[in-house]
Amino acid sequence: MNKLSALAGKDSSHSREMSGVITFAEQPRMSSLEMVDYINADRKAKAESEGLEFPCKKYRKLEHRSFMSKVPKVLGEAAANFFATAVYVNGTGGQVERDIYNFPKSE
């Protein structure tokens, strides 16, 4: 199974219970917030290895809102399978919900 079909949820094994097999619901997840942090860390490492500052023109900083707008364009209707909300504490101590995606974690 390739990564795109895993993200799109097109693997039929996720609905079967098998010993030693992780089901779709039990699969480790990576939130869109974590993914943005990972992408920015990777871009920063690449920039620094080339002697550049981060962010720069070649390696721009990805913002979560930009990532969120790109997911449906890339995954199409499958994006709805990964849509979720997360609660965080804002600067005044109030709890606020934000939209995120929870993707299956792959190596």
Side-chain angles (χ1 to χ4, degrees):
M1 175 175 64
N2 65 34
K3 288 182 183 181
L4 184 57
S5 63
L7 284 176
K10 294 183 179 178
D11 180 21
S12 61
S13 66
H14 71 274
S15 62
R16 287 182 268 156
E17 292 285 336
M18 299 175 150
S19 62
V21 174
I22 297 174
T23 63
F24 185 73
E26 298 168 334
Q27 193 172 24
R29 312 298 273 176
M30 180 178 239
S31 75
S32 52
L33 296 166
E34 294 169 316
M35 196 168 286
V36 168
D37 287 344
Y38 176 83
I39 291 167
N40 284 329
D42 183 60
R43 289 179 178 181
K44 183 177 181 180
K46 287 179 181 177
E48 289 173 352
S49 73
E50 294 179 24
L52 301 170
E53 295 279 329
F54 179 80
C56 61
K57 189 172 183 177
K58 185 174 180 181
Y59 296 104
R60 299 188 185 272
K61 185 173 183 181
L62 179 62
E63 293 184 8
H64 187 253
R65 65 177 172 228
S66 299
F67 185 83
M68 291 293 288
S69 68
K70 292 175 185 178
V71 170
K73 294 174 187 174
V74 174
L75 295 181
E77 292 178 15
N81 296 334
F82 308 109
F83 190 76
T85 57
V87 177
Y88 71 98
V89 178
N90 66 13
T92 61
Q95 291 190 348
V96 182
E97 284 190 0
R98 88 171 4 156
D99 294 336
I100 64 166
Y101 287 100
N102 273 322
F103 299 106
K105 202 175 214 179
S106 60
E107 286 116 56

